[in-house]
Amino acid sequence: MTWSEMSPLLWEATGQTAVMVGWSTLFTVLFGLPLGVCLAGTDRGGLFPAPAVRRVLGLIVNVGRSLPFIVLMIAVIPLTRVLTGTTIGTTAAVVPLTIGAVPFFARLVETALREVGRDVVQAAEAMGAGRVRIVTRVLLPEALPGLVAGLTVTVVTLISYSAMAGVIGGGGLGDLAVRYGYQRFETTLMVVTVVVLVVVVQLAQTLGDAVARRLSHR
Amino acid sequence: MITVSGLRKAYGDVVALDGVDLHVGKGEIFGVLGRSGAGKSTLLRCVNLLERPDEGVVTVDGRELTALGPADLRRARRRIGMIHQHFALLSSRTVAGNVAFPLEVMGVGRAARARRVAEMLDLVGLADRAGAYPAQLSGGQKQRVGIARALAAEPSVLLSDEATSALDPATTQSILALLRRLNRELGLTILLITHEMDVIKAVCDSAAIMSAGRITEAGPIPDLLAKPGSRLAAELFPLPPAEPGTVTVTLAADQTLLSRLARAYDVEVALAGGAVEPVAGVPAGRLRLRITGAGTAAALADLRERGLLVEEDA
Ligand SMILES: Nc1ncnc2c1ncn2[C@@H]1O[C@H](COP(=O)(O)OP(=O)(O)OP(=O)(O)O)[C@@H](O)[C@H]1O
Ligand SMILES: [Mg+2]
């Protein structure tokens, strides 16, 4: 295969990966951040302790995290149909990707929020701040570097999950490597695809690290 | 200004507060002393209800905090400043941002907030570090940010948990001088916890000693010093071990009598130990004297008559 033959394939696959990872990252933050706040907040000694709620949330998150992504992808097909009207393609892949990443990200959010000192939270309480203000003005800003680091890990995980999206016709770089490299013995294309994947992951990690460092004033 | 009565708090089997009564008058600086684990922090944290007492009533500035609902309690807390032992500054905010936080909570507008923050930073001498982050400050500077933050909302009461125990003596002195000044200029009532006797000597009008969840001694410092067997007196002015034949004299007022003893009575006065320094504005101290000679009994009677506490050592 020549470069001019590979180039359009690579561009298309990279675009599909970007679409899948981009949208699922957005939705993961949208759902995972509040879930993480609830996990941290409902704990004993948290801002709004609720042991029963926490146990239920914890169970759901753990189930979500213990399912292999490839199984999850098949299992949520009915939900995918309801949400996107289709069960195959790049858009459809966003649903299982999001569902797979939300529990993972939520745990990272929980950990990052726990890192915020209890004394800082209590200082805010002593100043008469309410819970909403404490979450939005104390916990989240204080945990921001940790949240960004968690988001970076989540994006990298999503990139690797998205490589499996070929199973439901999502396309993307992983799918390209499997279809051409494994099934058609186009070793060159496979190697190039892998290199592109490595570069993309490296870029995401480097960018995330830089932002986290920039935000940290510790 | 602060009245606490019948306060009880247990953590499982550990009784942290075992029936504490305390009254801090308006404009007073009140120090609480005690061993580690005596329940001092718990007491302080019960005053603004960061910790809910199991039993007891807390009244601050005429409001019974223990009877308030969550919203009223939040409002009442805005009138109570708190300085934390480990600063508890927001690392994601600058010095100015930290001092602005209580003002944001109160809903003070942006312009008024900026003005007040500048004023507070001037007061604690950190105007030039307004844009710095806490991680870039020294311990003493962080504590001054903590003080500026605690006072930004113009509280009527300031609670301070070991505000100076992480600081060196010179910094401690400058922080204490600042607290004293705020107390004088703004009439601020201060309840402070410390394990440093020097803090009590330097700034407190009254003090209490806590041990095992109870207050064993409390009152104005001169009164405590004048009480026989006072632990506060012993802690403030430690003496070498007593020997037979010595007397321990505690003074808590302007007294220049000792030299006169030797002249007025037929005695020799030898100093065996002790110290005198200003406490709560008056010279106070404990002296261990060896008084010998025919006039000893008369000399001791004279001292007692003048209101000094005289204890004959066994
Ligand atoms: N949150 C808590 N959970 C369990 N026990 C606690 C808690 N807070 C305090 N205690 C216990 O209550 C007792 C009093 O603690 P407190 O912190 O009030 O002591 P302290 O006088 O401030 O001591 P220090 O001088 O060491 O700060 C201690 O025995 C402590 O172990
Ligand atoms: Mg303490």
Side-chain angles (χ1 to χ4, degrees), chain A residues 85-99:
Chain A
T86 169
T87 60
I88 54 166
T90 309
T91 315
V94 171
V95 175
L97 283 173
T98 302
I99 294 175

Side-chain angles (χ1 to χ4, degrees), chain B residues 228-246:
Chain B
S230 162
R231 231 186 92 199
L232 182 78
E235 302 255 6
L236 285 183
F237 298 103
L239 287 173
E243 294 162 36
T246 59

Side-chain angles (χ1 to χ4, degrees), chain A residues 11-35:
Chain A
W11 276 117
E12 193 195 2
T14 308
Q16 288 166 336
T17 295
V19 167
M20 284 189 286
V21 173
W23 283 109
S24 51
T25 300
L26 182 73
F27 288 119
T28 298
V29 172
L30 224 54
F31 295 109
L33 193 64
L35 182 56

Side-chain angles (χ1 to χ4, degrees), chain B residues 140 143-144 147 164 167 171-180:
Chain B
Q143 197 56 286
R144 279 186 278 160
I147 293 176
T164 56
L167 310 177
T171 313
T172 296
Q173 284 311 319
S174 80
I175 299 270
L176 292 178
L178 175 64
L179 289 182
R180 193 77 197 149

